[in-house]
Amino acid sequence: MAEAHQAVAFQFTVTPEGVDFRLSREALKHIYLSGINSWKKRLIRLKNGILRGVYPGSPTSWLVVVMATVGSSYCNVDISLGLVGCIQRCLPRGCGPYQPPQTQALLSMAIFSTGVWATGIFFFRQTLKLLLSYHGWMFEMHGKTSHLTRIWAICIRLLSSRRPMLYSFQTSLPKLPVPRVSATVQRYLESVRPLLDDEEYFRMEMLAKEFKEKTAPRLQKYLVLKSWWATNYVSDWWEEYIYLRGRSPLMVNSNYYVMDLVLVRNTDVQAARLGNVIHAMIMYRRKLDREEIKPVMALGIVPMCSYQMERMFNTTRIPGKETDTLQHLSDSRHVAVYHKGRFFKLWLYEGSRLLQPRDLEMQFQRILDDPSPPQPGEEKLAALTAGGRVEWAQARQAFFSSGKNKAALEAIERAAFFVALDEGSYWYDPEDEASLSLYGKALLHGNCYNRWFDKSFTLISFKNGQLGLNAEHAWADAPIIGHLWEFVLGTDSFHLGYTETGHCLGKPNPALAPPMRLQWDIPKQCQAVIESSYQVAKALADDVELYCFQFLPFGKGLIKRCRTSPDAFVQIALQLAHFRDRGKFCLTYEASMTRMFREGRTETVRSCTNESTAFVQAMMEGSHMKADLRDLFQKASKKHQNMYRLAMTGAGIDRHLFCLYVVSKYLGVSSPFLAEVLSEPWRLSTSQIPQSQIRMFDPEQHPNHLGAGGGFGPVADDGYGVSYMIAGENMIFFHVSSKFSSSETNAQRFGNHIRQALLDIADLFQVPKADS
């Protein structure tokens, strides 16, 4: 068969005359093209490394400096102040190309010019780093920009005017500063004041005072030393101790999901949608490898750190008994696919050519049409990635370290990403509110064995063509996967397109080898471990209550008329909703980013403040005038915005205390204050989902091309997880999670409180609202 010849480069048989080799020209051609493609990538990376290394300079600017030096020499003007002559005298004489005086002079001028050019680049980079360390612009009132900030913005634009590549600014980004202990402790005490009575607060003050005076100075010295030596004093410890050392299941506890476009559908053909989307994903990966993606910029001028994007593809979390590791490959030419209990390996390239969407559609249709049954133990194999990490690590070592099991597992772990073809159909029906929650549940955990939770992300495809993602959290945060998803959905909708019957454009190549079934030999003992992991995962999934809803009365457009930030508006509404739901306040986590610093990830904004609780209590009393309530709300909003800005600029609370705690463990130092701080449960964990990081289309012309964001499981067993996306001017999507096992929480009840809190706050400003 043609497929066999494409898969094997040569065959041989032993005959009486000797060994007879039979070469496959087609296979050898693909091997040759693959090698050429690999060398092209190496050359592109080398070129990008050079261009990135000299930014904001360029080879052209070097040539200009050389020409200026040579030209001034011919005009008898020594702009080097004698340095060219010194260099010329230091060059070796009397041998080969150094003998002619003209050659020596030109070489000396080239060396001098290169030195001047390199010095200029170093100066510009240090100047840019100094400018990027200025964060005063964040604390200025909207529309009231100071002269200093305007001058700063002009300087930034001048120094970064040349079109940057993805990683051009990395070495110019400032390091995350280590806050003063006294400032962090003071902000911490202020954050817990509304949660503690006088006696509890006094006890915490005493613990904080003892820590600040006795323990903290020693810990802080080590932390400052690390900040001098390391690129980022938080990120490596955060990745290791918060993510990789976690021994509980990734599913629900760590992984999160992302939804598809929910108000429009491009096609109902499952294989066709996959063809376009996976082609778009590999196009994105190609741009990523070539660094052709523009860096994300705040205000259009302040670059965000891009290092998290490096491990988006070809990355897998490998389980370990004590700690996991992240395995990242420089390239991968296939995806791993799961369908009806079978695993497949699907090649993305034919030789050096990326398969076109129509070819990929044909390949996925072949998998969908494949009638072969699962092998023993294969169907629920992925449940190992959904259960406990120790059990998975032990099973991996015992049953997947040799033979066909090792080869099949490597095909999954070395894949660009994982694709799950589901048999069910999920979508959002505005007439059926529960449909969005069911869609979210399917993405969050599926049936517990049809997602490979260790992969950097799993692309989930439903029978009706609807898609979604389930992403592992250790390698990056949600805005990174959101950047990819925006590109993919925009490319699918506005660049690739479909035929009238819903298929990909173009004609398929039927000579392509079909996807390869992965072969397993899973013994009974391993099957028992798989079943045990499945039961653990199923109990966890069954305990999750997820309530997703679309809030339509208003969005950020009308919120801005209240003269507040949309995020602060929602966060204060969450405080009001939580008090109505539970009758008390709780420690609240909101994720903010620190990507204005090199290798920055996230910081915590503690949204439950003295100001927000004062507003909530006044609302609950019901006796205050609207003007007084508006005043209290504005104070709470300003406080929240200031805390968010402090967190973004490296003056947060929790990452500093976390790192001090890690240092104390290394030194064997006991700190009751740190132990108590790090053990406090986050009963309300919240996150705003970013959008419009890439402008793939005009949202005003295509208002329905909106995703619904995504969500995550509750952080505390008796708490809530809330993610929200302020989707354009007139709607907000919410994803609320809790656990059925807690008698104190109910996701739908809390979601209804959120709705009412938003409407009640809007009513204070007499904001016109549609019917809810």
Side-chain angles (χ1 to χ4, degrees):
M1 293 174 63
E3 294 84 355
H5 287 289
Q6 291 176 14
V8 182
F10 68 90
Q11 299 173 338
F12 67 90
T13 56
V14 180
T15 67
E17 289 78 21
V19 180
D20 177 27
F21 288 92
R22 296 193 302 275
L23 300 178
S24 168
R25 292 183 180 178
E26 186 67 19
L28 289 176
K29 173 187 173 184
H30 287 305
I31 291 173
Y32 167 76
L33 292 174
S34 179
I36 294 295
N37 189 53
S38 178
W39 276 104
K40 281 182 180 178
K41 284 188 175 182
R42 292 179 189 177
L43 291 174
I44 288 170
R45 286 171 184 158
L46 177 63
K47 182 199 75 172
N48 289 343
I50 294 171
L51 294 176
R52 183 195 329 127
V54 301
Y55 189 86
S58 66
T60 304
S61 63
W62 174 83
L63 188 60
V64 169
V65 175
V66 172
M67 292 175 66
T69 305
V70 174
S72 66
S73 174
Y74 280 106
C75 295
N76 296 318
V77 177
D78 185 9
I79 63 173
S80 71
L81 303 178
L83 284 176
V84 169
C86 291
I87 295 170
Q88 189 170 352
R89 287 192 294 272
C90 293
L91 291 176
R93 296 177 179 276
C95 59
Y98 300 107
Q99 194 165 3
Q102 295 87 349
T103 303
Q104 284 187 322
L106 286 172
L107 184 59
S108 301
M109 286 184 279
I111 293 172
F112 168 77
S113 301
T114 302
V116 170
W117 179 68
T119 303
I121 289 172
F122 176 79
F123 172 77
F124 281 127
R125 278 193 173 181
Q126 293 305 114
T127 304
L128 186 58
K129 181 179 287 189
L130 185 65
L131 289 169
L132 292 174
S133 299
Y134 169 72
H135 299 124
W137 59 274
M138 291 194 65
F139 296 89
E140 294 179 349
M141 294 290 291
H142 183 67
K144 297 182 179 180
T145 307
S146 67
H147 292 299
L148 176 63
T149 297
R150 287 175 181 169
I151 294 170
W152 165 82
I154 292 169
C155 293
I156 289 279
R157 290 185 187 278
L158 287 174
L159 287 175
S160 57
S161 58
R162 191 169 71 84
R163 183 181 177 183
M165 297 192 303
L166 179 61
Y167 303 120
S168 291
F169 293 109
Q170 289 300 101
T171 54
S172 299
L173 292 173
K175 287 188 175 183
L176 184 69
V178 181
R180 290 181 297 108
V181 171
S182 58
T184 298
V185 170
Q186 181 59 40
R187 282 193 288 267
Y188 169 78
L189 290 173
E190 186 181 346
S191 75
V192 297
R193 186 65 189 94
L195 305 174
L196 305 175
D197 60 31
D198 292 341
E199 183 178 342
E200 291 171 331
Y201 183 72
F202 178 75
R203 185 182 70 84
M204 184 56 74
E205 273 190 319
M206 293 300 101
L207 288 176
K209 183 179 179 182
E210 181 186 17
F211 169 74
K212 185 169 60 175
E213 294 176 353
K214 296 181 179 179
T215 312
R218 184 186 175 196
L219 304 182
Q220 181 78 346
K221 288 178 183 177
Y222 281 95
L223 203 56
V224 170
L225 181 63
K226 186 193 176 187
S227 74
W228 292 346
W229 178 255
T231 308
N232 188 293
Y233 81 91
V234 176
S235 294
D236 57 339
W237 285 349
W238 188 254
E239 180 178 300
E240 179 179 357
Y241 293 106
I242 298 301
Y243 293 117
L244 297 180
R245 284 183 180 263
R247 301 294 83 196
S248 59
L250 300 183
M251 186 192 78
V252 175
N253 295 319
S254 180
N255 284 28
Y256 57 94
Y257 66 87
V258 184
M259 287 184 170
D260 196 354
L261 300 175
V262 291
L263 302 180
V264 296
R265 292 175 65 181
N266 294 323
T267 180
D268 295 328
V269 181
Q270 185 177 15
R273 188 80 195 287
L274 281 168
N276 266 5
V277 164
I278 290 181
H279 183 82
M281 283 183 166
I282 303 305
M283 286 172 60
Y284 182 93
R285 186 180 69 169
R286 180 183 290 173
K287 287 177 174 287
L288 196 62
D289 289 341
R290 296 177 179 178
E291 301 184 30
E292 295 172 352
I293 296 171
K294 295 179 181 177
V296 176
M297 312 282 273
L299 296 181
I301 58 172
V302 181
M304 301 289 104
C305 179
S306 303
Y307 99 100
Q308 294 181 63
M309 302 176 86
E310 295 175 3
R311 298 182 293 183
M312 185 179 296
F313 296 93
N314 327 324
T315 299
T316 300
R317 181 165 170 166
I318 305 297
K321 293 180 181 179
E322 294 184 0
T323 182
D324 294 353
T325 56
L326 286 176
Q327 172 187 282
H328 174 68
L329 305 175
S330 60
D331 194 18
S332 177
R333 299 172 63 81
H334 72 276
V335 293
V337 184
Y338 179 90
H339 177 242
K340 284 188 175 180
R342 298 92 41 86
F343 290 87
F344 295 82
K345 181 178 182 179
L346 190 154
W347 293 102
L348 299 170
Y349 293 84
E350 182 187 17
S352 61
R353 184 183 68 87
L354 172 63
L355 294 184
Q356 293 301 304
R358 190 67 181 89
D359 292 329
L360 288 167
E361 177 187 349
M362 179 188 70
Q363 296 292 66
F364 279 106
Q365 193 60 52
R366 285 173 169 177
I367 293 175
L368 293 170
D369 295 339
D370 189 325
S372 60
Q375 300 162 70
E378 182 182 18
E379 182 178 15
K380 295 183 180 180
L381 175 62
L384 290 170
T385 70
R389 304 306 292 171
V390 174
E391 293 78 8
W392 174 205
Q394 292 171 339
R396 190 177 189 276
Q397 184 176 3
F399 305 111
F400 299 91
S401 57
S402 62
K404 61 171 65 175
N405 287 350
K406 180 181 180 181
L409 182 61
E410 283 185 348
I412 295 173
E413 292 180 340
R414 297 174 72 86
F417 51 90
F418 193 80
V419 182
L421 308 182
D422 282 17
E423 286 297 291
S425 292
Y426 293 95
W427 68 95
Y428 174 46
D429 179 2
E431 301 299 321
D432 178 14
E433 185 182 76
S435 62
L436 195 63
S437 302
L438 293 173
Y439 178 27
K441 283 273 283 183
L443 295 175
L444 181 63
H445 52 67
N447 62 13
C448 304
Y449 57 79
N450 57 356
R451 316 276 182 262
W452 198 269
F453 293 100
D454 287 354
K455 289 300 291 183
S456 54
F457 65 89
T458 295
L459 174 63
I460 300 160
S461 169
F462 298 107
K463 199 168 185 177
N464 59 350
Q466 199 76 0
L467 300 175
L469 298 174
N470 183 289
E472 201 277 323
H473 213 323
W475 65 274
D477 302 307
I480 305 302
I481 204 75
H483 194 278
L484 163 71
W485 200 229
E486 285 184 29
F487 175 88
V488 167
L489 295 181
T491 303
D492 172 43
S493 298
F494 299 102
H495 296 279
L496 296 178
Y498 299 89
T499 66
E500 292 181 358
T501 56
H503 293 279
C504 297
L505 301 175
K507 294 183 179 180
N509 176 12
L512 285 174
M516 183 179 72
R517 272 292 300 273
L518 299 185
Q519 300 300 312
W520 308 91
D521 182 13
I522 302 175
K524 294 290 185 181
Q525 303 96 308
C526 184
Q527 293 180 35
V529 176
I530 292 171
E531 184 61 28
S532 175
S533 293
Y534 169 66
Q535 293 301 329
V536 169
K538 187 175 186 300
L540 180 59
D542 289 344
D543 194 28
V544 174
E545 180 185 9
L546 186 66
Y547 178 55
C548 307
F549 64 94
Q550 181 184 18
F551 181 79
L552 287 171
F554 57 85
K556 71 178 179 182
L558 296 186
I559 292 175
K560 287 181 178 179
R561 296 183 196 173
C562 302
R563 296 176 179 264
T564 186
S565 82
D567 182 69
F569 191 99
V570 174
Q571 284 290 328
I572 296 169
L574 289 175
Q575 292 300 314
L576 177 58
H578 187 272
F579 192 88
R580 287 171 171 173
D581 186 80
R582 301 284 294 273
K584 59 183 178 181
F585 298 106
C586 74
L587 195 62
T588 305
Y589 181 113
E590 182 189 6
S592 73
M593 63 87 180
T594 56
R595 288 174 61 200
M596 288 190 295
F597 301 97
R598 192 170 180 186
E599 295 189 11
R601 289 195 62 164
T602 60
E603 177 57 275
T604 304
V605 179
R606 292 174 169 239
S607 302
C608 184
T609 62
N610 289 317
E611 290 79 2
S612 65
T613 55
F615 168 74
V616 169
Q617 288 168 341
M619 286 287 288
M620 295 302 293
E621 289 172 8
S623 58
H624 292 260
M625 301 292 290
K626 279 190 176 184
D628 296 331
L629 292 171
R630 283 196 298 270
D631 185 55
L632 289 170
F633 176 84
Q634 292 293 358
K635 289 179 180 178
S637 175
K638 289 176 182 177
K639 176 66 175 180
H640 180 82
Q641 290 178 70
N642 187 60
M643 290 179 59
Y644 202 98
R645 290 161 181 161
L646 286 170
M648 288 183 66
T649 53
I653 301 168
D654 291 273
R655 299 302 179 269
H656 186 202
L657 293 178
F658 161 76
C659 289
L660 290 171
Y661 179 75
V662 173
V663 174
S664 74
K665 289 300 180 182
Y666 278 130
L667 298 178
V669 176
S670 176
S671 170
F673 172 74
L674 288 177
E676 186 153 339
V677 170
L678 271 294
S679 64
E680 293 168 340
W682 299 98
R683 290 194 170 88
L684 181 55
S685 181
T686 71
S687 180
Q688 182 183 176
I689 303 158
Q691 60 167 336
S692 301
Q693 297 182 80
I694 310 175
R695 193 173 177 85
M696 296 289 293
F697 58 91
D698 187 349
E700 293 184 1
Q701 293 183 7
H702 306 279
N704 288 332
H705 279 74
L706 288 172
F712 52 88
V715 174
D717 290 339
D718 59 346
Y720 291 110
V722 180
S723 67
Y724 53 95
M725 188 177 81
I726 303 170
E729 300 295 310
N730 301 306
M731 72 177 75
I732 308 173
F733 284 100
F734 285 91
H735 305 251
V736 183
S737 64
S738 64
K739 291 193 174 181
F740 287 112
S741 56
S742 172
S743 59
E744 299 181 42
T745 57
N746 181 295
Q748 184 163 355
R749 183 186 69 206
F750 187 46
N752 290 333
H753 282 308
I754 293 171
R755 269 199 188 95
Q756 192 58 50
L758 290 167
L759 294 170
D760 290 346
I761 294 174
D763 187 59
L764 296 178
F765 296 87
Q766 297 181 339
V767 174
K769 307 178 294 294
D771 294 333
S772 61

